[in-house]
Amino acid sequence: MAVKDDSKNKTQKRCKDFVGLTFSRGVAGKIIGIALAFILSHLAHHLLKRINQPCIASDIFIGLFLGSIRPLRDSFEPEVIQTLGFMVEFGMICYMFVLGLEMNPYVIFKPPTRDAIVAYAGMLSTFILACGITPFLHYSTKPHHDLGLTLTLSITLSGSGSHILTRVITNLKIGKSDIGKLGIAAGVHSDMISMLLFSIGYVFFPPGETNTIERVKKGAMMAAALVVQSVIAAKVSPFIMNWINNENPEGKALKGTHLVLSLAYMVFVCSCSTWYGYNTILSAFMAGIFFPSEGRISKWTVGKINYFLNTVYYPIFLLWVGFVADLSHFEAANLESWARLFLLLIISTVGKVFGTLICGVMLGFHWPDSVALGLLLTAKSHFHIYLALISTVNNAITATTGCSMVIVIFLTIIHTPFVVAHIIERARKQAPTRRMAVQWHDPSSQLRILLCLHGSHNLPSSINLLEITRGPSDPGILVYVTDMIELTDQIAATLVQNEGIETVTVTDKAVMEMRDQITNTVQAYVDESGEGISVKRMLALSTFNGMSQDICILAEELMVSLIILPFHKRQHEDGTLDGGHPGFRYVNRKMLRNAMCSVGILVDRGFGLIERTTESQISVNVAVIFIGGRDDREALAYSGRVARHPGVRLTVIRFLEENDSENAQRRPGMHKEITPEQEEEMRLDDESFADFYERHIAGGRVAYTEKHLANSSETFTALKSLEGQYALIIVGRGVGVNSILTVGMNDWQQCPELGPIGDVLSGSDFSVRTSVLIIKQHDFKGELDGLDDDFSIM
């Protein structure tokens, strides 16, 4: 009993001494230090926000600044700093749990997507570079080589701070762009893989164990505990959380007992493996990554923890960083310290950029985009800072190395907003200075068209299309007839380098004969009846992976308003279409997405068999279907040129929603509330159609009919009724148009790139004598409509 009392007295004395040490000596300095941490952090956030710097950058800067103030450092005793360390560890547990909740580990077992490939390439190249260099730079406090430290340091340099990257990309409004989505997804992949490697590596290299047998025993025990924890989080948690979520539906206050129960269960799951020696922070991540992220409780937890981190934890964290990463320990007078610092920065940057650049070449990215991605993926997070400094506290690495790591992490973060700004600037430069579309074309200037051909079999239909498109002979049209030729090894062996406009010449016999046939046929047409048509020959020689990029660049340089591409399928003699060429389909799909002007895809079903369409000999029925939207307005504008040809009988068919109360019952559901964007689109549709009506229909030159429909089923029936009536039907691609007349039609699409109407008209069960021209207007981005919505530069 006396022993027990003595132990109790000693504990009380230590506690009393600690409290006295904490609050009786230098209490003013502690209060000032903590107050400065909160005030300066928020002030720095506000100031650096003007240059779009993330909060972690200002946190590191303020932390290192406060840690360099000697009177402030002296007012914090080692015991107080140790207490701050315990608080930081608790916050890091919460941080890692939320980080795991926002990730999906099961994507690892799926075929790698484009973003995953980019992440893996950058990580692998950085990891290999770090493993090859860091062992020779003596970052460890141990005199001999430490494999565990080398792997940890290499994984740290290979990882990314996904939430930092997401915040920067989102704040700068490029989250919806191709490179923005790719950067966010690749950052999440990189972050998740590096964290999983840390978590698994801790089992094989537990700190503090030098005896091999003891290390194996401890590792086996931790591995078993980690497996049990993961199974509980992945298999048991959904039942418990679903029950709590069902008992607390949205719109009602959370029940206190259920809230306490759910939080207690989360704590239990996070601490399962820690009972057997596993790291508490990594345990929280492993619990979070397998824990169900959907549901009201999980979302509530994420929101509350993020609020706690932003308002309370990060200022305390930056204060701890400043005290532990004492810049006076950096040994600035020693050149080796600077060499270690810059080598860490070079490894992290060069490794990421090299890996993404090689990967970008394989995936067909522009090299500036690949470099930008690599620079973005170098960004690190709070965990990487904590890992570097806790390694310093535990004497795993030298104090100089710890300072160097913090500085390197700071440098990998501050450049991210400038990289994003460069992406935006480059996108704006690539945006056309004027809207390259038929709708916005100046009638007094020559219309420029890029006509692409797969071979001589596309000539008849293309020539007939040019004939009805040419409009008045003054100013006429300028057509760049471009051969799309796949660059194979056989053709590559026949290339001859030139110094003229065409840098290469293809000497392959089959290609030369095909190009000569196309040139002679087109020139014969122009000489005979091509008044007002100017023709120039072009060549798109590339692999299918890079062909769309080459054509886009060519179209931008030539400032064309419309690119016409052949459909990837060809018609058999019996009227049916073949399976198509997957390479050309890939090019068409990328052109629809990336071209900086309007794009038309011609589905030839006998349009080339019509007798030569000259002004004196022609008899062709053409229809244009108008529902609404940007693409339909472009198709209507193009039809305005077709209507001027004296041999074309054009019919405009407008599909309208049936507003009759009796027919409203045939609709699948009630109309949703019309958004301001939809109202603007409807206004533009009415203005565009009214202008077309006044120009062409009112004078009787163009026929006009309306079809009042209630749903997509009636739209399909109306389209089927057009079989055999027209030689060519012109439609807008119409993807993304929110119309009750097309909703649900994409459920059975064979070629989604053609849009709902174009897919039906070009389907195998439609008329074998009706050709279709599907037109998509360029998505105005960059400086034209603002970068806040979306843009693509890849």
Side-chain angles (χ1 to χ4, degrees):
M1 187 72 177
V3 175
K4 184 176 181 181
D5 290 341
D6 185 59
S7 176
K8 182 178 179 181
N9 292 333
K10 288 182 179 180
T11 303
Q12 291 176 347
K13 185 176 184 302
R14 283 198 302 267
C15 214
K16 181 179 179 180
D17 291 343
F18 175 76
V19 173
L21 182 68
T22 303
F23 294 102
S24 63
R25 288 167 36 192
V27 63
K30 298 180 181 65
I31 294 175
I32 292 174
I34 295 174
L36 283 175
F38 278 87
I39 294 173
L40 291 180
S41 65
H42 288 88
L43 181 62
H45 294 170
H46 178 73
L47 294 177
L48 294 180
K49 190 176 182 180
R50 299 181 179 181
I51 56 175
N52 301 306
Q53 286 293 333
C55 295
I56 187 175
S58 56
D59 285 346
I60 298 174
F61 178 78
I62 296 299
L64 295 177
F65 169 73
L66 293 177
S68 301
I69 301 176
R70 182 54 56 184
L72 187 63
R73 290 189 61 89
D74 294 339
S75 64
F76 281 77
E77 295 79 11
E79 293 83 358
V80 179
I81 297 176
Q82 186 179 18
T83 303
L84 287 177
F86 294 149
M87 297 169 66
V88 167
E89 183 178 0
F90 171 76
M92 191 56 61
I93 291 172
C94 299
Y95 171 91
M96 294 294 285
F97 179 70
V98 170
L99 183 67
L101 270 178
E102 296 174 345
M103 294 179 177
N104 179 18
Y106 302 105
V107 297
I108 299 175
F109 305 104
K110 298 179 181 179
T113 56
R114 188 175 62 167
D115 44 79
I117 295 174
V118 170
Y120 299 156
M123 288 190 68
L124 184 61
S125 59
T126 309
F127 183 81
I128 294 174
L129 192 63
C131 287
I133 296 177
T134 54
F136 304 100
L137 298 178
H138 308 293
Y139 290 106
S140 174
T141 56
K142 300 178 182 179
H144 57 277
H145 173 60
D146 190 343
L147 178 60
L149 176 63
T150 300
L151 294 176
T152 302
L153 190 58
S154 300
I155 296 172
T156 302
L157 296 174
S158 304
S160 300
S162 58
H163 68 286
I164 302 298
L165 195 57
T166 302
R167 181 66 61 86
V168 172
I169 290 176
T170 305
N171 288 346
L172 291 175
K173 308 289 177 62
I174 70 165
K176 294 182 180 179
S177 68
D178 285 345
I179 194 170
K181 293 177 182 177
L182 187 61
I184 291 174
V188 172
H189 272 283
S190 180
D191 203 2
M192 180 176 63
I193 295 299
S194 62
M195 291 301 174
L196 288 175
L197 291 176
F198 280 130
S199 302
I200 297 173
Y202 192 89
V203 174
F204 292 95
F205 298 95
E209 291 292 340
T210 56
N211 187 285
T212 305
I213 298 177
E214 291 298 325
R215 176 182 292 183
V216 172
K217 289 182 179 179
K218 187 175 181 179
M221 187 179 300
M222 288 191 297
L226 194 60
V227 170
V228 172
Q229 180 191 41
S230 301
V231 171
I232 293 175
K235 300 300 181 182
V236 180
S237 298
F239 295 101
I240 298 176
M241 301 310 293
N242 287 339
W243 173 74
I244 296 177
N245 289 325
N246 293 333
E247 292 292 321
N248 296 270
E250 294 286 348
K252 292 186 178 181
L254 288 171
K255 297 178 182 178
T257 53
H258 290 162
L259 186 58
V260 172
L261 175 63
S262 59
L263 292 177
Y265 178 73
M266 292 179 187
V267 173
F268 165 75
V269 175
C270 290
S271 60
C272 282
S273 58
T274 62
W275 299 338
Y276 297 92
Y278 193 70
N279 183 269
T280 55
I281 295 175
L282 297 179
S283 176
F285 173 77
M286 293 300 292
I289 200 171
F290 289 106
F291 203 84
S293 59
E294 299 298 326
R296 188 181 181 187
I297 296 296
S298 295
K299 293 178 181 179
W300 179 89
T301 304
V302 170
K304 294 301 181 182
I305 291 180
N306 282 331
Y307 180 78
F308 161 75
L309 294 175
N310 289 319
T311 56
V312 178
Y313 173 66
Y314 290 147
I316 296 176
F317 178 79
L318 70 89
L319 193 62
W320 178 79
V321 168
F323 287 140
V324 177
D326 189 355
L327 292 181
S328 63
H329 295 160
F330 178 67
E331 300 178 5
N334 190 347
L335 292 178
E336 292 184 3
S337 300
W338 293 100
R340 295 191 186 102
L341 187 150
F342 284 112
L343 277 173
L344 287 175
L345 182 62
I346 291 172
I347 291 171
S348 178
T349 305
V350 173
K352 286 285 186 181
V353 171
F354 179 77
T356 53
L357 188 60
I358 298 300
C359 179
V361 172
M362 297 172 60
L363 295 176
F365 296 165
H366 298 169
W367 72 264
D369 304 332
S370 300
V371 173
L373 270 176
L375 291 174
L376 289 176
L377 292 175
T378 59
K380 303 296 186 289
S381 65
H382 294 84
F383 173 76
H384 299 97
I385 299 175
Y386 176 81
L387 183 63
L389 295 183
I390 204 66
S391 300
T392 304
V393 172
N394 295 330
N395 294 320
I397 58 176
T398 63
T400 303
T401 302
C403 294
S404 300
M405 287 293 296
V406 174
I407 296 173
V408 167
I409 292 171
F410 175 74
L411 294 176
T412 62
I413 293 171
I414 60 172
H415 74 269
T416 51
F418 303 106
V419 175
V420 176
H422 173 73
I423 293 172
I424 296 174
E425 182 182 358
R426 183 165 174 265
R428 284 173 171 163
K429 288 181 178 179
Q430 291 194 358
T433 56
R434 60 189 179 92
R435 296 184 168 181
M436 307 304 294
V438 179
Q439 182 182 2
W440 310 110
H441 176 256
D442 183 3
S444 62
S445 61
Q446 217 175 26
L447 177 66
R448 299 189 175 197
I449 297 177
L450 187 66
L451 177 64
C452 297
L453 304 174
H454 297 165
S456 57
H457 59 277
N458 297 137
L459 272 176
S461 59
S462 299
I463 289 177
N464 285 346
L465 188 66
L466 289 181
E467 172 63 29
I468 67 173
T469 306
R470 66 182 185 177
S473 58
D474 185 18
I477 60 175
L478 174 58
V479 183
Y480 297 94
V481 181
T482 306
D483 303 315
M484 302 170 66
I485 300 176
E486 180 189 9
L487 181 60
T488 61
D489 293 339
Q490 178 181 352
I491 293 179
T494 65
L495 298 181
V496 176
Q497 298 293 328
N498 299 329
E499 296 182 357
I501 298 177
E502 289 190 0
T503 57
V504 294
T505 299
V506 182
T507 59
D508 181 81
K509 183 178 180 181
V511 173
M512 292 179 64
E513 290 178 354
M514 181 197 72
R515 297 202 71 199
D516 290 340
Q517 182 182 356
I518 292 175
T519 301
N520 296 334
T521 304
V522 173
Q523 192 60 48
Y525 158 69
V526 173
D527 294 340
E528 179 184 350
S529 55
E531 184 180 357
I533 299 179
S534 302
V535 175
K536 293 185 179 181
R537 296 285 282 123
M538 295 290 167
L539 174 64
L541 177 64
S542 177
T543 61
F544 287 127
N545 197 37
M547 187 175 292
S548 61
Q549 178 181 339
D550 292 347
I551 297 176
C552 286
I553 294 174
L554 185 63
E556 291 177 42
E557 292 176 349
L558 300 176
M559 298 183 68
V560 301
S561 298
L562 177 64
I563 300 174
I564 297 178
L565 300 165
F567 192 42
H568 68 281
K569 296 182 180 181
R570 295 175 59 179
Q571 191 174 29
H572 294 302
E573 293 182 358
D574 60 356
T576 60
L577 296 173
D578 61 15
H581 196 295
F584 286 122
R585 183 185 186 186
Y586 175 78
V587 173
N588 287 358
R589 296 176 73 166
K590 291 200 71 175
M591 289 295 300
L592 288 169
R593 187 178 66 178
N594 296 332
M596 306 300 285
C597 62
S598 295
V599 177
I601 296 181
L602 178 61
V603 182
D604 180 20
R605 287 183 140 172
F607 192 63
L609 300 179
I610 299 175
E611 187 179 0
R612 175 62 58 80
T613 54
T614 64
E615 292 186 359
S616 58
Q617 292 181 338
I618 191 171
S619 179
V620 57
N621 293 331
V622 179
V624 56
I625 297 175
F626 186 86
I627 298 177
R630 179 183 297 164
D631 297 342
D632 281 18
R633 295 195 294 270
E634 179 71 359
L636 195 66
Y638 173 81
S639 301
R641 299 187 64 89
V642 176
R644 299 178 185 178
H645 198 290
V648 174
R649 294 190 295 273
L650 179 67
T651 301
V652 177
I653 306 173
R654 188 172 189 183
F655 288 179
L656 297 171
E657 292 186 27
E658 178 60 71
N659 294 322
D660 205 41
S661 59
E662 295 180 2
N663 294 320
Q665 298 177 359
R666 292 178 285 157
R667 294 178 185 150
M670 298 297 294
H671 283 290
K672 296 182 179 179
E673 184 178 356
I674 298 178
T675 63
E677 292 79 8
Q678 292 172 336
E679 288 183 351
E680 178 65 14
E681 285 293 309
M682 293 168 64
R683 184 186 66 80
L684 293 174
D685 290 341
D686 292 337
E687 289 181 358
S688 178
F689 194 86
D691 180 71
F692 184 91
Y693 191 98
E694 183 179 353
R695 288 173 179 269
H696 304 289
I697 300 176
R701 184 186 304 172
V702 175
Y704 173 60
T705 181
E706 291 181 357
K707 292 184 180 292
H708 294 268
L709 310 170
N711 50 46
S712 58
S713 177
E714 294 187 8
T715 302
F716 181 80
T717 303
L719 293 175
K720 293 290 289 184
S721 67
L722 303 178
E723 285 189 89
Q725 297 185 36
Y726 305 97
L728 177 68
I729 297 179
I730 304 169
V731 297
R733 183 171 178 244
V735 174
V737 176
N738 186 17
S739 174
I740 196 68
L741 303 183
T742 57
V743 65
M745 294 182 68
N746 55 355
D747 293 341
W748 60 79
Q749 282 182 328
Q750 297 178 355
C751 296
E753 66 268 24
L754 301 182
I757 304 298
D759 181 75
V760 172
L761 296 177
S762 62
S764 57
D765 55 347
F766 197 73
S767 172
V768 298
R769 299 188 304 274
T770 301
S771 301
V772 187
L773 178 63
I774 299 97
I775 295 180
K776 176 188 179 296
Q777 191 179 74
H778 165 57
D779 295 333
F780 307 128
K781 301 163 186 175
E783 292 179 324
L784 300 179
D785 287 349
L787 289 170
D788 291 355
D789 299 327
D790 187 15
F791 69 92
S792 172
I793 64 172
M794 301 187 69

